[in-house]
Amino acid sequence: MRRVAFGAVPPQESTGQRFPPVGILTLPMGRLFPILVGLLTLASASLVAASGVPDADSLLDRPISAIRTKGLERVSEQKVLNNIRSRVGQPYDPDTAKGDISRLTRLGDFSSIDIVAELRKDGTVDLTYEFKEERLLAAVSVVGNRVLSDAALLGPTGLHRGSARDDFLIERGIREMAELYRSKGYYLAEVKIDAAQLDDNDILIFEVVEGPRVRIRIIEFAGATQFTAKKLSSEIETTTWFPFFRRGEVDQDQLAGDVASLHKFYYDRGYIDIRVDKQIEVSPSQREAKVIFLIEEGQRYTVEEFTAAGPGNVPLEVFSTEQLAAIMNIKVGDVFRQDLLDRSRTSIKDAYGVMGYLDTNVTIVPIRRGSTTELSLVVEVAEGAVADVGLVEITGNSLTKDKVIRTEVGFRPGRRFDAREIEATKERIMATGLFGDALVTVQQPDEDDPSIRDVLVEIKEKNTGSINFGVGIGSDAGVLGNISLTQNNFDLFDVPETFAEFYRGRSFRGAGQRFAINFQPGTEIFAYNISLTEPRFLGTPYALGGSAGYYRRDYTGTAGGYTEERASAGAVLSRRLGDVWYGSLRFDAARVELTDLDPNEPLEIQQDAGPETLLSAGLTLTRTTIDRMSRPTKGSRTQLNIANWGLLGGDRNFDRVSVDYTTYLALDRDFLGRVSTLRLDGQVGKIFGGSAPTYERFYLGGRTLRGFQFRSVSPKGVDQAGNLTDVPVGGTFMVFLGTQYQQPLIGELLDGVIFVDSGTVNDDPGFDQYRMSFGVGIRVYIPQLGPTPLAFDCAFPMIKQEGDATQLFSFSADLPF
């Protein structure tokens, strides 16, 4: 019987010993001859023995007659058989046997594994798996830990009493424990094991030396001359310690990322030779640390030459070198900036893309010019071929109609491709709010006509309907509940054929219409309404919407108060005008009546008791460049409103014009990327005509002019005897100017504000009754409550008029539940 053996040899621990040096051995000739004879004899015997042992390849494809195991005590033979692929009756394959060793080793139960293949007389092969099992851990514990519990340290390792000794898991456990301590601020923590206990008694003891908690007190930028420490601090994540607000802990991974960020910051600004490293100095008490970023800025490079060509220096066909130079964002003579280089690459691709070159590839390489600080920009453009739009296929929409999606697709079959439209189409589709994802892919050229490229639009639908419950609390409106049902992918004409179709949500969906029902009961306000909007009316870019509802509000005051009741219906035709403009034309009809009217109310309110019918038409133009709806940092919003009552009939005849303006300015960005902003507000409005009822006039106060009571900034009415009262009746001229500074305080949760509000409401234009207030407040941002923060403000009137009612505290909060 002949045997072939191979196996896995476990790594041996280093003993620290060295082999003795090799020297030159000099022997007399008489002694050398017997030694040579002996060596030749041994070599001959080895050759004879080796000739009788086959190698592994000689057993290849011979059938396996038996599989045996040796050395198993605690591990079952069945577990071994479940993890090997060699089988009795199958052809023997050495590679399969070696794979068996790898799989069995990964079980962690064995310290060594050998496989012996024996060739039997009948030509078959017997396989014997010889194991040396890992020793079991008699106990696992941690000593020296006070800050972290045993469970917190041992849990992630997976090591416990009775588990096999696995040196890899033990080493990994040491690293993870040390990293866990460092994440808690214990930068100097050390973890090791008691090797003697492990080897002699199979007891695994992790020995922890926690050390003190190290806080970063100082961050320095050694060698930085071109940028201030404040500017460089905004580019890194590491921070100094500050009680309750900043942990200031030493994090090696974070520091490595900071080094990369600083390197990129300098490189993007022309410092191509920049070198950045870090150094940590720990105080003698080992409780404080100083982080020093070592910076070698080098020279700042400028662009002095520009060349452009195709691959292999082939001349360009579509654009000349001069035209590409004009397209690029970085020019000859400019300081080298990586961001401008990236934008230049995009600009060139866009220029080709507009002309239908979809596969254009642009590479821009900066090359140093000798030993100077001048750079040459080498632009290589693989222009590709021009293409026209073929078929536009839409997939993935099981409910939404194709036409809803196609109205957002900017490609038209037969027209020249515009590569920018690929991303623009995706953005428009996602902006509808109807889909969870969208992918726009240009297909490979058509075999019959390579100039034709089809477009595949893949969308993923999402649930567009919801039922919401919430409550709003405000100093102006009291407590106001909200129950709403919305469906943003409604189809008015998709009537269900069966109740099951309606119940499963397979009806009244798919046309992209927006349908909503809102019910708002409250302590001072009670309202409900229903609305439906078609965003693409008759396939045009115009949106047509309609709504109807009921509104009731109780007004209480020193004179007794009254209730305003309003039943209304309206229609609005709107359209987006370019990227920043939006226009709408609105028609409204309302039936208004003042009920529960106290006889002590001013004559102006008594005369408007009604009921009256109001018909109005209005035009609104809005321009907005605000970067985001939640916590905006830049941009502005301007809105012009012009409305007429009486042109279409009704009981009143007057006009109202107003202009609102808001702008945001980013004043500062801290090291966490949070932005402090300055908000400026301006409003002016005028009513023309003498028949405007009190409930359609201008008022300020409450949240609209903090420091004064709700609607109290207004002309006051007169009573039956002609005496002036303290009850506001509204004015026909309004102006408001305000400024607010907002700064982050605690992470993304809490912001602080300082503000100045000012304004007036009169019957005639002028500023003789002007008011002004100063105040402070906080904004609480809770993601679960939506983008609108909880607002709490304290305001102190600095300029007020006789009879003004002041209000120190105002707040607003919208809480879904």
Side-chain angles (χ1 to χ4, degrees), residues 39 47 109 164 201 230 234 294 330 350 357-358 384 400 432 448 454 503 545 560 605 657 662 699 752:
L39 291 174
L47 290 172
D109 292 320
N201 303 313
K230 181 178 180 181
S234 66
L294 308 173
I330 190 169
D350 288 346
Y357 291 85
L358 302 180
T400 308
T432 63
D448 299 329
D454 295 338
Y503 177 75
I605 296 177
V657 179
T662 300
Y699 298 86

Side-chain angles (χ1 to χ4, degrees), residues 20-54:
V22 177
I24 300 175
L25 182 65
T26 304
L27 294 174
M29 195 64 184
R31 296 182 180 180
L32 182 61
F33 181 75
I35 294 175
L36 291 175
V37 173
L39 291 174
L40 290 174
T41 303
L42 290 174
S44 301
S46 299
L47 290 172
V48 172
S51 64
V53 178

Side-chain angles (χ1 to χ4, degrees), residues 475-476 679-681 700-713 736-742 752-759 771-779 791-800 805-812:
S475 54
D476 292 352
R679 171 177 170 170
L680 303 176
D681 290 285
L700 286 176
R703 296 298 298 169
T704 58
L705 204 164
R706 289 162 287 189
F708 298 86
Q709 284 191 7
F710 175 63
R711 298 209 334 168
S712 64
V713 178
F736 173 84
L737 296 174
T739 180
Q740 177 173 290
Y741 175 74
Q742 182 167 337
V753 299
I754 302 174
F755 59 86
V756 174
D757 287 353
S758 67
R771 283 89 165 171
M772 181 179 292
S773 66
F774 166 82
V776 296
I778 60 173
R779 301 291 180 267
F792 305 92
D793 295 318
C794 288
F796 309 90
M798 295 186 294
I799 301 176
K800 61 181 180 178
T806 61
Q807 178 177 284
L808 174 66
F809 181 67
S810 65
F811 64 94
S812 64

Side-chain angles (χ1 to χ4, degrees), residues 702-729:
R703 296 298 298 169
T704 58
L705 204 164
R706 289 162 287 189
F708 298 86
Q709 284 191 7
F710 175 63
R711 298 209 334 168
S712 64
V713 178
S714 157
K716 306 303 189 290
V718 297
D719 59 16
Q720 301 282 354
N723 299 317
L724 187 66
T725 69
D726 293 332
V727 180
V729 294

Side-chain angles (χ1 to χ4, degrees), residues 630 742 778-782 785-792 812-814:
S630 177
Q742 182 167 337
I778 60 173
R779 301 291 180 267
V780 182
Y781 291 85
I782 302 177
L785 304 183
T788 304
L790 309 183
F792 305 92
S812 64
D814 294 318

